[in-house]
Amino acid sequence: MNDFHDLSLVLRSRFPIITVDSQEEARLLALFERACGQEQWPLYRWSVADGLCRCAGAPADPAQEGPETRELETTLRIVDRALSVGVYLLFDAQAFLQSPANLRLVKQIALAYDKRPRTLVFVGHRVELPEELRRLSARFELSLPDLAQLKQILREEADAWNRGPQLDRLRGEPEAAQQLLQQLLGCSAEDARRRIRHAIRDDGMLNRDDVRRLLLARQELLGGGALNLELDAGSFGEVAGLDNLKRWLERRGPVFRDSTSKLDAPRGVLLLGVQGSGKSMACKAIAGAWGLPLLRLDFGALYSKWIGETERNLREAFRSAESLAPCVLWLDEIEKGLGPEGEDQGVGRRVLGALLTWMSERKARVFLAATANDISALPPELLRKGRFDEIFFVDLPDAATRETIFRIHLQRRGIDPARLDLPPLAVAAEGFSGAEIEQAVVGATYEAAAQQQPLSNTMLRDELARTRPLSVVMAERIAELRDWAASRTVPA
């Protein structure tokens, strides 16, 4: 993006008011000085700390500068009387628009633009103008650095470290450095430079600890609302089976991470299936496999008894997710979040509407990973093609997958799977979900500890025999779900 071209275009479009959400004041000021210098327009800046000051190209006028103009109303009256063209940068001035006098002066200056072209630029954090001023305004946004620019910042900081007095040159893991840059997408150039410098100067190397520290710092920015950052994303090595899903994700991961790719970025998947079959673990593994932060939307924290607060919480969660893009947004058991029992159905419909609108219109690279157990509870608007790239059905594991699940959970508990005969156990666990097999392993390890004996096939078979899997307890509902998914979804 060419910031200079875009700013020049906005200025020449003759909007009387411009809003800029930015904390990069030095960069913004330099950009305005260049644009105004090209058009030969005087440029001034104002803040409550310094009052009105002239910038490059503005004529000197002691009556219009200095501490006497720290009050915004005083400055606006000076601007209102000015006869010549001028651009006025007003830093953190939006809070003072609550004053009726200030609001009227701004409107007066804007409405007289055709006779006396004076442009008011409101700069600050989340600048929101009163309704009556919005139609007179345009918004300008400073571009954020892309991956190539972040790599250049990293090279500059690495060169600065290597030229320093320390003896050791910068060391690091290429994969960790790449993940660090991915997590910095969405940060301003100044913020990215500070965080890269902090990572380098901490110990003279870039590794996974720096990535984790950056994720923790970004988690604090979420503010403890309905959006949570999951630090343990996992990997597909911990997920048995799901070969079709893994292949689908392997082909789309590089495209999603590459913001310069000409291919359409994947938007999300819905994993439908039997409870305990590994849907949530698969969603977490997507982020781990792609090296992206995993955000989980907590529907319990989303809903509020106050009218309109639930929708506001959802919009705020989406804004936070977009600020951390590229990332994976995990909606676990989405059917419960969109229509919780006992809730006002009007709220649920408004939440659904907000979600569908965001899914259709979002530009940021936020990959949506949703899970569902009860397809009948999902609204048809959510299931139509285009909302999700694909709907995968996660069925109960087959014999080979069950054997892999036993191996994973035994290894996780420090037990060598080679000591056990796994194929007969996989046959005995027919109809068991992955979660139920894990609990059978847990129960058998307790039995082995109580008997002070090594874990054996007999202990595991006995634990399986004592369990009534969900496929037996809820056989009718699971059969109905399988029948529905057979012709409507893709097997995971």
Side-chain angles (χ1 to χ4, degrees):
M1 182 181 293
N2 191 327
D3 288 337
F4 175 73
H5 172 270
D6 293 344
L7 177 59
S8 298
L9 179 60
V10 171
L11 289 172
R12 290 197 303 268
S13 298
R14 299 175 62 83
F15 283 95
I17 301 175
I18 299 173
T19 61
V20 185
D21 289 346
S22 177
Q23 301 295 311
E24 299 182 89
E25 294 184 0
R27 178 186 170 198
L28 187 68
L29 181 59
L31 194 62
F32 267 90
E33 287 181 341
R34 182 183 170 196
C36 290
Q38 176 179 272
E39 302 293 337
Q40 296 184 342
W41 292 335
L43 176 66
Y44 302 86
R45 58 184 174 87
W46 175 91
S47 72
V48 71
D50 301 324
L52 188 63
C53 305
R54 63 189 177 92
C55 303
D61 187 351
Q64 296 187 14
E65 298 182 54
E68 295 77 12
T69 59
R70 287 174 181 165
E71 292 290 336
L72 180 62
E73 182 177 345
T74 303
T75 294
L76 291 175
R77 292 189 184 280
I78 291 173
V79 176
D80 189 34
R81 291 194 300 267
L83 298 177
S84 61
V85 63
V87 178
Y88 298 83
L89 296 177
L90 308 176
F91 292 99
D92 301 319
Q94 65 272 16
F96 299 97
L97 294 180
Q98 297 176 0
S99 163
N102 289 340
L103 181 60
R104 179 59 207 174
L105 282 167
V106 170
K107 185 186 297 186
Q108 200 165 285
I109 294 168
L111 293 175
Y113 186 89
D114 289 339
K115 297 180 180 178
R116 289 174 290 168
R118 296 146 306 169
T119 304
L120 302 179
V121 184
F122 288 87
V123 182
H125 177 63
R126 292 186 180 178
V127 178
E128 292 292 340
L129 297 178
E131 185 67 31
E132 56 264 45
L133 297 180
R134 290 178 191 169
R135 68 179 185 86
L136 301 170
S137 68
R139 184 174 292 272
F140 171 73
E141 295 182 3
L142 281 174
S143 63
L144 297 174
D146 58 18
L147 200 56
Q149 291 169 320
L150 289 173
K151 288 180 180 178
Q152 178 60 31
I153 294 174
L154 176 58
R155 283 193 291 267
E156 292 171 1
E157 291 302 319
D159 291 342
W161 168 267
N162 292 331
R163 291 194 303 268
Q166 66 282 339
L167 298 178
D168 294 334
R169 293 178 61 83
L170 179 65
R171 296 170 292 129
E173 306 166 4
E175 184 178 348
Q178 182 66 25
Q179 289 186 7
L180 185 71
L181 295 179
Q182 286 283 349
Q183 305 308 326
L184 289 172
L185 287 170
C187 294
S188 67
E190 292 179 1
D191 190 25
R193 185 177 295 277
R194 284 191 292 265
R195 294 185 184 277
I196 290 174
R197 187 179 298 144
H198 179 267
I200 291 176
R201 297 178 184 271
D202 176 45
D203 53 8
M205 65 183 303
L206 294 175
N207 53 29
R208 295 183 184 275
D209 289 339
D210 296 310
V211 179
R212 185 178 181 86
R213 189 184 303 115
L214 176 60
L215 285 173
L216 288 171
R218 300 193 75 172
Q219 184 180 26
E220 294 177 359
L221 298 178
L222 298 180
L227 206 60
N228 301 303
L229 183 62
E230 302 285 327
L231 294 178
D232 297 322
S235 68
F236 276 117
E238 302 170 352
V239 181
L242 308 185
D243 293 336
N244 285 341
L245 174 63
K246 292 176 182 177
R247 189 181 306 109
W248 190 93
L249 292 167
E250 284 174 359
R251 292 176 178 176
R252 286 159 177 79
V255 175
F256 185 80
R257 294 192 299 268
D258 184 6
S259 60
T260 63
S261 174
K262 295 182 179 180
L263 296 175
D264 292 343
R267 301 179 67 80
V269 292
L270 172 63
L271 303 185
L272 169 69
V274 182
Q275 291 183 3
S277 54
K279 300 185 299 297
S280 298
M281 189 178 298
C283 288
K284 296 171 70 174
I286 294 172
W290 287 0
L292 299 175
L294 175 66
L295 306 174
R296 180 173 60 85
L297 184 62
D298 183 0
F299 283 107
L302 184 69
Y303 278 83
S304 171
K305 64 181 180 179
W306 305 110
I307 296 176
E309 189 70 12
T310 300
E311 299 92 298
R312 189 192 69 81
N313 291 342
L314 183 61
R315 289 192 295 270
E316 185 64 31
F318 289 152
R319 279 196 294 267
S320 297
E322 290 175 351
S323 71
L324 295 178
C327 63
V328 176
L329 178 58
W330 173 28
L331 306 183
D332 200 21
E333 298 187 348
I334 189 174
E335 72 273 23
K336 295 181 180 178
L338 294 179
E341 295 182 4
E343 288 285 346
D344 177 10
Q345 292 302 308
V347 176
R349 298 301 299 177
R350 291 195 296 272
V351 168
L352 173 62
L355 174 62
L356 295 178
T357 299
W358 178 78
M359 290 174 67
S360 299
E361 297 181 355
R362 74 182 186 275
K363 303 298 182 184
R365 290 184 176 246
V366 179
F367 185 85
L368 197 59
T371 69
N373 299 317
D374 184 6
I375 193 64
S376 63
L378 288 175
E381 309 97 292
L382 189 66
L383 299 177
R384 76 160 177 81
K385 201 66 175 178
R387 301 296 189 192
F388 293 98
D389 295 320
E390 199 60 83
I391 300 177
F392 287 95
F393 181 67
V394 184
D395 204 348
L396 291 170
D398 58 20
T401 304
R402 292 195 296 271
E403 185 177 338
T404 303
I405 293 172
F406 272 110
R407 185 175 293 106
I408 289 173
H409 290 299
L410 289 169
Q411 290 174 337
R412 188 175 294 172
R413 289 159 180 82
I415 301 171
D416 184 6
R419 294 196 300 103
L420 299 165
D421 191 7
L422 297 185
L425 291 174
V427 173
E430 184 177 1
F432 280 63
S433 68
E436 290 165 339
I437 292 175
E438 180 182 11
Q439 289 308 305
V441 172
V442 171
T445 56
Y446 274 104
E447 188 66 26
Q451 297 181 20
Q452 297 184 349
Q453 296 288 333
L455 183 67
S456 66
N457 272 51
T458 301
M459 295 175 185
L460 285 165
R461 279 198 303 268
D462 291 344
E463 194 65 34
L464 291 171
R466 285 191 288 268
T467 303
R468 293 294 177 267
L470 198 64
S471 62
V472 173
V473 176
M474 313 242 348
E476 295 79 8
R477 292 190 61 180
I478 291 179
E480 181 182 349
L481 177 62
R482 281 173 155 175
D483 290 341
W484 185 94
S487 59
R488 296 176 173 89
T489 63
V490 177

